[in-house]
Short mmCIF file of all heavy atoms in Angstrom, two decimals:
data_model
loop_
_atom_site.label_atom_id
_atom_site.label_comp_id
_atom_site.label_asym_id
_atom_site.label_seq_id
_atom_site.Cartn_x
_atom_site.Cartn_y
_atom_site.Cartn_z
N HIS A 71 45.02 -122.32 -97.94
CA HIS A 71 43.65 -122.45 -97.43
C HIS A 71 43.25 -123.92 -97.36
O HIS A 71 43.69 -124.75 -98.16
CB HIS A 71 42.69 -121.68 -98.32
CG HIS A 71 42.86 -120.19 -98.25
ND1 HIS A 71 42.49 -119.46 -97.14
CD2 HIS A 71 43.38 -119.30 -99.13
CE1 HIS A 71 42.76 -118.18 -97.34
NE2 HIS A 71 43.31 -118.06 -98.54
N VAL A 72 42.37 -124.21 -96.43
CA VAL A 72 41.96 -125.60 -96.17
C VAL A 72 41.40 -126.26 -97.42
O VAL A 72 41.67 -127.44 -97.69
CB VAL A 72 40.91 -125.62 -95.04
CG1 VAL A 72 40.37 -127.03 -94.84
CG2 VAL A 72 41.52 -125.10 -93.74
N PHE A 73 40.61 -125.52 -98.21
CA PHE A 73 39.96 -126.13 -99.37
C PHE A 73 40.95 -126.44 -100.50
O PHE A 73 40.58 -127.08 -101.48
CB PHE A 73 38.81 -125.26 -99.89
CG PHE A 73 39.15 -123.80 -100.05
CD1 PHE A 73 39.87 -123.35 -101.14
CD2 PHE A 73 38.74 -122.88 -99.10
CE1 PHE A 73 40.18 -122.02 -101.30
CE2 PHE A 73 39.05 -121.54 -99.25
CZ PHE A 73 39.77 -121.10 -100.34
N ASN A 74 42.18 -125.97 -100.37
CA ASN A 74 43.20 -126.26 -101.40
C ASN A 74 44.12 -127.41 -101.01
O ASN A 74 44.99 -127.80 -101.80
CB ASN A 74 44.06 -125.02 -101.65
CG ASN A 74 43.31 -123.93 -102.38
OD1 ASN A 74 42.40 -124.22 -103.16
ND2 ASN A 74 43.68 -122.69 -102.15
N VAL A 75 43.94 -127.95 -99.81
CA VAL A 75 44.89 -128.94 -99.28
C VAL A 75 44.16 -130.22 -98.86
O VAL A 75 43.11 -130.16 -98.22
CB VAL A 75 45.66 -128.37 -98.07
CG1 VAL A 75 46.67 -129.39 -97.55
CG2 VAL A 75 46.36 -127.07 -98.44
N ASP A 76 44.72 -131.35 -99.22
CA ASP A 76 44.21 -132.65 -98.77
C ASP A 76 44.97 -133.03 -97.50
O ASP A 76 46.12 -133.47 -97.56
CB ASP A 76 44.40 -133.70 -99.86
CG ASP A 76 43.87 -135.07 -99.44
OD1 ASP A 76 43.22 -135.15 -98.38
OD2 ASP A 76 44.10 -136.04 -100.19
N CYS A 77 44.32 -132.86 -96.36
CA CYS A 77 44.99 -133.15 -95.08
C CYS A 77 45.04 -134.65 -94.78
O CYS A 77 45.82 -135.07 -93.91
CB CYS A 77 44.27 -132.43 -93.94
SG CYS A 77 44.57 -130.64 -93.91
N GLY A 78 44.23 -135.44 -95.47
CA GLY A 78 44.25 -136.88 -95.22
C GLY A 78 43.91 -137.20 -93.77
O GLY A 78 42.87 -136.79 -93.25
N ASP A 79 44.81 -137.91 -93.10
CA ASP A 79 44.60 -138.29 -91.70
C ASP A 79 45.12 -137.23 -90.73
O ASP A 79 45.06 -137.42 -89.51
CB ASP A 79 45.30 -139.62 -91.40
CG ASP A 79 44.67 -140.78 -92.17
OD1 ASP A 79 43.45 -140.70 -92.43
OD2 ASP A 79 45.39 -141.73 -92.52
N ARG A 80 45.62 -136.14 -91.24
CA ARG A 80 46.13 -135.06 -90.36
C ARG A 80 44.93 -134.19 -89.94
O ARG A 80 44.73 -133.10 -90.45
CB ARG A 80 47.18 -134.23 -91.09
CG ARG A 80 48.42 -135.03 -91.50
CD ARG A 80 49.43 -134.15 -92.22
NE ARG A 80 48.93 -133.68 -93.50
CZ ARG A 80 49.14 -132.45 -93.99
NH1 ARG A 80 49.82 -131.56 -93.29
NH2 ARG A 80 48.67 -132.12 -95.18
N LEU A 81 44.17 -134.67 -89.01
CA LEU A 81 42.89 -134.04 -88.68
C LEU A 81 42.98 -132.99 -87.58
O LEU A 81 42.07 -132.18 -87.41
CB LEU A 81 41.89 -135.13 -88.25
CG LEU A 81 41.64 -136.23 -89.30
CD1 LEU A 81 40.64 -137.24 -88.75
CD2 LEU A 81 41.14 -135.64 -90.61
N GLU A 82 44.06 -132.98 -86.82
CA GLU A 82 44.16 -132.04 -85.71
C GLU A 82 44.55 -130.65 -86.22
O GLU A 82 45.22 -130.50 -87.25
CB GLU A 82 45.21 -132.52 -84.70
CG GLU A 82 44.85 -133.85 -84.04
CD GLU A 82 45.92 -134.30 -83.06
OE1 GLU A 82 46.82 -133.48 -82.74
OE2 GLU A 82 45.87 -135.46 -82.62
N LEU A 83 44.11 -129.62 -85.46
CA LEU A 83 44.45 -128.23 -85.78
C LEU A 83 44.77 -127.49 -84.50
O LEU A 83 44.34 -127.89 -83.41
CB LEU A 83 43.28 -127.53 -86.49
CG LEU A 83 42.88 -128.04 -87.88
CD1 LEU A 83 41.59 -127.37 -88.33
CD2 LEU A 83 43.99 -127.78 -88.89
#
Side-chain angles (χ1 to χ4, degrees):
H71 291 289
V72 175
F73 48 78
N74 289 331
V75 181
D76 181 8
C77 287
D79 295 329
R80 298 180 294 141
L81 303 179
E82 297 179 12
L83 294 172

